[in-house]
């Protein structure tokens, strides 16, 4: 086993990790993934805490046992996944291991105080692991710069940017669906939203109020949410359809069915404000225009206005001033395929594995 991947995630494998695994499979990399399945929950909070603690203990134990077999390379995601390494280092040291770290999120020192117990414990004991790591990455330069300030003693040559892009396989899979006819057979503007839903953290009410009963629009939501209030609200609008969750690998099947992908975050935290959500790049891979909240500072780096599909920043708080027809206008523009795919990004990481394996 050349690579051990540690990913504690009590809910589900998130898309960037799925893309990493897909890439490693394509490259025939010998790896072992240690993660967790979605926890069963109870109506009693104390029971849920016990279940979570037991789940984390089992995760830690599995990781610890595999570390004894000395995999050459170890990749862990987020501070919450690091505890097995921290414990192992206290007993056996980690000098013979090549450690790689990737953060999908950025939490400031203050933010960490609000995170889960295991997240806080991971960060508390993480610094020695980071100092010995060969590679540490964040999803964009803004978050990486915040991280540098939090850990000024780290060797900056080890710090990298590893964005969350979809796989080029989406182009192959999506081409099977690109010729699908407009299923409604009319001239309405079809808006698509995929992901979690919230009234507090997203401009959900705003998009519904402006377009939910507007016959010029149809809005389709794919989400795993079970929040009855949100679902009932969506269903109360005549031009809105809630379709429940969609498997990540099935998203390319949506190609050719919609016009615009929506990114609705309000940027209520530093983490969100300085992110370029993976949905931007997934929508572009589907040849959708993207209407992204203008409150996301990092997303400004990805504006596309002179080719299509476009990536535009929208003030969702003032949608009545948004000229949607102008936004959709492609006169004088030419098509340019999205350049944002993970293979090029992950190839750099893979070279580092190979380099270290052979030294």
């Amino acid at each position: 086993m050349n690579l051990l991947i540690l990913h504690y995630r009590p809910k589900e494998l998130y898309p960037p990790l799925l893309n990493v695994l897909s890439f490693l499979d394509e490259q025939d990399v010998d790896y072992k993934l240690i993660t967790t399945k979605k926890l069963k929950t109870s109506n009693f909070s104390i029971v849920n805490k016990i279940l979570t603690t037991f789940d984390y203990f089992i995760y830690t134990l599995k990781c610890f046992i595999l570390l004894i077999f000395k995999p050459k390379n170890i990749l862990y995601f987020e501070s919450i996944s690091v505890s097995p390494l921290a414990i192992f280092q206290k007993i056996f040291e980690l000098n013979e291991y090549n450690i790689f770290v990737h953060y999908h999120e950025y939490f400031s020192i203050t933010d960490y105080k609000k995170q889960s117990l295991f997240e806080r414990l991971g960060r508390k004991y993480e610094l020695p692991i980071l100092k010995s790591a060969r590679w540490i990455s964040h999803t964009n330069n803004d978050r990486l710069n915040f991280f540098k300030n939090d850990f000024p003693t780290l060797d900056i040559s080890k710090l990298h940017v590893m964005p969350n892009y979809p796989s080029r396989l989406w182009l192959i899979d999506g081409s099977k669906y690109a010729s699908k006819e407009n299923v409604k057979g009319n001239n309405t503007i079809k808006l698509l939203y995929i992901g979690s839903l919230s009234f507090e953290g997203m401009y959900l009410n705003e998009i519904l109020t402006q377009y939910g009963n507007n016959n010029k629009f149809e809005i389709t939501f794919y989400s795993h949410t079970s929040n009855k209030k949100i679902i009932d609200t969506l269903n109360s609008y005549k031009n809105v359809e809630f379709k429940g969750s969609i498997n990540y690998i099935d998203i390319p099947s949506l190609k050719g069915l919609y016009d615009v992908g929506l990114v609705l975050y309000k940027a209520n935290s530093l983490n969100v404000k300085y992110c370029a959500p993976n949905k931007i790049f997934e929508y572009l891979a589907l040849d959708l225009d993207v209407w992204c909240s203008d409150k996301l500072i990092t997303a400004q780096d990805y504006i596309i206005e002179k080719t299509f599909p476009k990536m535009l920043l929208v003030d969702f708080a003032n949608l009545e001033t948004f000229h949607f027809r102008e936004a959709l206008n492609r006169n004088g523009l030419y098509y340019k395929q999205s350049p944002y795919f993970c293979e090029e990004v992950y190839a750099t990481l893979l070279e580092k594995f190979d380099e270290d394996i052979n030294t």
Side-chain angles (χ1 to χ4, degrees):
M1 178 176 58
N2 285 335
L3 174 63
L4 176 63
I5 302 175
L6 309 183
H7 173 266
Y8 180 81
R9 190 80 169 182
K11 293 183 179 179
E12 58 188 4
L13 299 183
Y14 65 142
L17 176 62
L18 294 175
N19 287 327
V20 169
L21 299 180
S22 176
F23 176 77
L24 294 175
D25 288 337
E26 288 179 54
Q27 302 299 319
D28 294 322
V29 175
D30 179 23
Y31 70 86
K32 176 71 174 179
L33 170 67
I34 301 297
T35 187
T36 49
K37 297 180 180 179
K38 187 172 182 179
L39 283 174
K40 294 181 179 179
T41 58
S42 165
N43 293 326
F44 301 97
S45 60
I46 184 64
V47 174
N48 287 331
K49 289 180 181 179
I50 294 172
L51 289 173
T52 301
T53 302
F54 179 75
D55 185 65
Y56 197 77
F57 172 77
I58 295 299
Y59 160 81
T60 302
L61 182 62
K62 286 180 180 178
C63 295
F64 196 90
I65 292 172
L66 284 177
L67 286 169
I68 294 174
F69 291 92
K70 295 187 176 181
K72 182 65 177 177
N73 300 288
I74 302 167
L75 168 62
Y76 78 83
F77 288 80
E78 304 292 349
S79 302
I80 196 171
S81 301
V82 77
S83 292
L85 294 179
I87 297 170
F88 193 89
Q89 187 181 51
K90 291 286 186 181
I91 303 173
F92 299 110
E93 296 295 329
L94 288 167
N95 297 333
E96 299 179 17
Y97 300 81
N98 298 322
I99 298 172
F100 302 81
V101 187
H102 180 64
Y103 297 95
H104 177 58
E105 313 280 0
Y106 170 77
F107 298 121
S108 68
I109 294 172
T110 302
D111 291 333
Y112 264 101
K113 296 177 181 179
K114 304 173 186 176
Q115 300 305 307
S116 70
L117 170 64
F118 302 121
E119 194 83 55
R120 298 196 307 272
L121 285 174
R123 177 49 60 96
K124 182 177 180 179
Y125 297 105
E126 191 173 22
L127 182 57
I129 309 298
L130 295 176
K131 286 185 174 180
S132 64
R134 301 268 185 141
W135 166 293
I136 303 168
S137 54
H138 270 271
T139 59
N140 62 60
N141 275 312
D142 292 323
R143 287 177 169 179
L144 188 63
N145 287 332
F146 288 131
F147 184 82
K148 288 179 185 177
N149 292 333
D150 292 341
F151 294 95
T153 61
L154 294 179
D155 182 351
I156 62 173
S157 68
K158 299 178 180 180
L159 305 182
H160 303 269
V161 173
M162 194 165 77
N164 294 330
Y165 299 157
S167 170
R168 282 194 176 276
L169 294 175
W170 281 41
L171 297 179
I172 299 171
D173 293 340
S175 65
K176 297 183 294 187
Y177 307 97
S179 61
K180 280 186 177 180
E181 295 181 0
N182 186 317
V183 291
K184 295 289 184 181
N186 55 36
N187 295 318
T188 56
I189 299 164
K190 295 176 175 55
L191 307 180
L192 173 67
Y193 179 88
I194 304 174
S196 59
L197 290 169
S198 164
F199 291 122
E200 295 76 20
M202 298 179 181
Y203 291 104
L204 185 55
N205 279 323
E206 289 79 357
I207 199 79
L208 292 171
T209 300
Q210 190 69 22
Y211 300 136
N213 288 323
N214 187 330
N215 290 330
K216 296 184 179 69
F217 292 86
E218 293 171 2
I219 315 177
T220 300
F221 289 88
Y222 286 92
S223 177
H224 58 71
T225 186
S226 58
N227 187 306
K228 188 175 185 301
K229 181 179 178 181
I230 291 178
I231 295 173
D232 288 345
T233 299
L234 295 178
N235 290 332
S236 70
Y237 288 85
K238 63 181 181 180
N239 295 320
V240 172
E241 185 173 10
F242 175 71
K243 290 196 172 183
S245 62
I246 181 172
N247 290 328
Y248 187 71
I249 61 173
D250 294 328
I251 293 178
S253 69
L254 304 179
K255 190 169 185 177
L257 297 181
Y258 302 95
D259 302 303
V260 178
L262 300 172
V263 180
L264 301 174
Y265 294 111
K266 286 184 177 179
N268 290 336
S269 68
L270 198 67
N271 179 49
V272 177
K273 186 176 182 179
Y274 290 96
C275 80
N278 47 292
K279 283 294 171 282
I280 290 176
F281 312 111
E282 292 160 5
Y283 290 146
L284 289 174
L286 298 179
D287 286 341
L288 296 175
D289 280 2
V290 181
W291 293 352
C292 176
S293 168
D294 64 352
K295 305 305 184 291
L296 306 189
I297 302 300
T298 303
Q300 295 176 5
D301 296 337
Y302 298 96
I303 293 173
I304 303 172
E305 295 177 311
K306 297 182 179 180
T307 59
F308 69 88
K310 298 178 183 180
M311 208 302 282
L312 304 178
L313 297 184
V314 177
D315 183 1
F316 287 111
N318 296 286
L319 270 177
E320 66 277 1
T321 66
F322 177 55
H323 302 290
F324 65 86
R325 294 203 181 278
E326 181 180 337
L328 293 166
N329 185 14
R330 294 180 173 182
N331 291 338
L333 305 182
Y334 64 90
Y335 169 77
K336 184 179 179 181
Q337 185 184 83
S338 172
Y340 304 116
F341 295 101
C342 68
E343 281 76 5
E344 289 77 6
V345 176
Y346 297 154
T348 303
L349 180 62
L350 183 60
E351 288 172 5
K352 190 68 175 176
F353 288 154
D354 291 340
E355 171 190 321
D356 292 333
I357 288 170
N358 295 322
T359 57

